Amino acid sequence: MKKYLVNGWPVLLLLIFVASCGKEKSVEEDQGQYFLKCKIGGVDKTFNVNAAAAKSDLGGGITSYSVFGKAVADASNYESMGFTIQLSIPFNTGTYKETDPTTDYFLAGIYNPNTTEATKIFASGYDDTNPFQITFTEITATTLSGTFKGKLFINSTDPNSDSAIISNGQFKVKLQK
């Protein structure tokens, strides 16, 4: 029996090595396959690190979907993009705007340009001329895809605060279970 254990170690180590390589490849594939991309103020941005979506049942017939991604894997860099939609109606493909007058859903977008100061993070602010909006083109049990655009504002009480124009946004994210 002892001889079997000694001879089994190299095989066991090889299996662990192969399994760990497979996980790294999977993460790299996810970064290429799942993403949020857009122009922010005319500058191309890609958020493909941990790009994903999460679904939550908030109770009372309300479901929330949050989509998010980081620009780089560096833990000290906070640059990220995300948006959330909370619905009291069935979730279907189509366009959802933050300025929709119904109470069927609530939509919010956020962009962190790499800061820990809340007053320097951009968020949707109900701009009538360029509202933040999302068009879901594909909704499956495993992925969400679509486009997004609109104007986000610095999180400030100043009515003349800075803003960021989000254009040419597109996303494909894995729906976490």
Side-chain angles (χ1 to χ4, degrees), residues 45-161:
K45 298 283 186 172
T46 300
F47 306 93
N48 62 351
V49 176
N50 299 324
K55 177 183 176 184
S56 301
D57 182 352
L58 302 180
I62 299 174
T63 305
S64 174
Y65 291 85
S66 296
V67 175
F68 45 87
K70 282 190 67 185
V72 296
D74 181 356
S76 64
N77 185 316
Y78 304 103
E79 186 174 13
S80 56
M81 181 79 195
F83 48 85
T84 298
I85 184 167
Q86 295 177 359
L87 306 111
S88 60
I89 56 174
F91 188 33
N92 294 310
T93 57
T95 300
Y96 298 85
K97 294 182 181 183
E98 70 175 331
T99 54
D100 190 309
T102 71
T103 58
D104 294 338
Y105 64 89
F106 169 78
L107 175 67
I110 190 166
Y111 167 62
N112 183 336
N114 187 21
T115 183
T116 57
E117 294 181 47
T119 58
K120 294 186 178 181
I121 295 174
F122 295 85
S124 48
Y126 296 94
D127 184 68
D128 286 327
T129 59
N130 192 7
F132 187 73
Q133 63 185 17
I134 305 167
T135 300
F136 291 94
T137 56
E138 180 183 36
I139 302 169
T140 72
T142 58
T143 60
L144 297 178
S145 299
T147 62
F148 61 98
K149 64 180 181 176
K151 191 173 188 178
L152 301 178
F153 298 88
I154 285 286
N155 185 15
S156 170
T157 56
D158 179 0
N160 299 315
S161 64

